Amino acid sequence: MKVTLFNCSPRKDGNTYTGLNVIAEELDKESISTEIIQVGCENIYGCDACGICKKTKSGFCKIEDDIVNDAIKKVYDSEGLIIGSPTYFGSITAEAKAFIDRLGYVSRAADMKLSRKVAAGIAIARRAGAVDSVLQINKMFLISGCIIPCSSYWNIAIGREKGEILNDKEGIETFINLARNMSWLLKKIQD
């Protein structure tokens, strides 16, 4: 089994990466392979609503000069996925929004290709807005037929400076519980 995690922060080794890494380490302990893909800082185009994916039903986007189709392939090849974003002005990053819009659109056009994947969003905030960010990510998962595991609280952690979320003990414990619940769910589905 594999879970692919997507870092939608422009800071490649910042707090969002740290949170995703905490989850990946816990999944690895449960013998679930993981890979963290950097999405933030990439030139990702938003969906232009051309509708070609509805005609081809390939599960991929006609836009081929960014990383999104490669990322989508990794999603399709995984049993689970996690999308992480920092919170900017109470919302996810532009890269995260472009990624989830295109992933959601093409997978729905291809007969709900994300249906029954185990998926969750996480968000990091300096102070506030992270719950809304998690909800933005999870809304795409919900309308795509994914199964969203819960944790012991919202999948958020608080921190601004690099590594600061490690001081948020409740946030880190929430990420660990998310990984454990995701692992349990993936194994139950596999049985």
Side-chain angles (χ1 to χ4, degrees):
M1 281 182 286
K2 182 174 183 180
V3 173
T4 304
L5 303 92
F6 295 91
N7 181 11
C8 295
S9 172
R11 295 181 179 168
K12 293 179 181 179
D13 61 350
N15 285 316
T16 303
Y17 173 81
T18 300
L20 291 169
N21 198 51
V22 165
I23 294 167
E25 287 176 358
E26 195 65 31
L27 289 169
D28 290 339
K29 288 178 191 174
E30 297 290 330
S31 300
I32 295 174
S33 67
T34 60
E35 181 180 9
I36 300 175
I37 306 294
Q38 180 65 33
V39 173
C41 257
E42 295 289 335
N43 272 338
I44 297 177
Y45 303 101
C47 177
D48 62 12
C50 67
I52 290 174
C53 60
K54 286 186 173 183
K55 292 176 184 156
T56 66
K57 298 190 181 301
S58 69
F60 294 96
C61 184
K62 67 131 184 176
I63 300 169
E64 295 182 344
D65 56 348
D66 66 14
I67 67 160
V68 172
N69 280 335
D70 290 337
I72 290 170
K73 179 164 182 3
K74 291 196 179 274
V75 169
Y76 294 158
D77 291 341
S78 300
E79 287 73 31
L81 69 145
I82 295 179
I83 296 176
S85 178
T87 303
Y88 289 177
F89 297 96
S91 186
I92 56 179
T93 62
E95 296 94 336
K97 181 62 173 143
F99 179 52
I100 66 172
D101 284 353
R102 286 175 55 202
L103 171 61
Y105 209 99
V106 300
S107 64
R108 288 174 53 82
D111 299 322
M112 301 292 285
K113 210 162 169 126
L114 292 184
S115 183
R116 298 194 179 115
K117 294 250 185 217
V118 178
I122 71 162
I124 311 301
R126 178 186 70 84
R127 198 168 224 29
V131 172
D132 290 336
S133 296
V134 168
L135 181 59
Q136 285 177 301
I137 297 166
N138 284 347
K139 281 181 181 179
M140 187 276 291
F141 293 147
L142 287 169
I143 66 171
S144 297
C146 295
I147 302 166
I148 301 175
C150 58
S151 184
S152 51
Y153 196 67
W154 300 106
N155 299 331
I156 63 171
I158 305 301
R160 180 179 180 174
E161 300 303 321
K162 181 179 174 180
E164 207 170 52
I165 68 161
L166 295 173
N167 297 327
D168 178 6
K169 301 297 183 205
E170 185 178 11
I172 295 302
E173 191 61 34
T174 298
F175 291 164
I176 291 169
N177 288 334
L178 173 63
R180 289 176 181 161
N181 288 343
M182 182 175 242
S183 170
W184 179 87
L185 183 56
L186 285 165
K187 290 174 182 177
K188 287 292 183 186
I189 290 170
Q190 198 77 349
D191 285 345

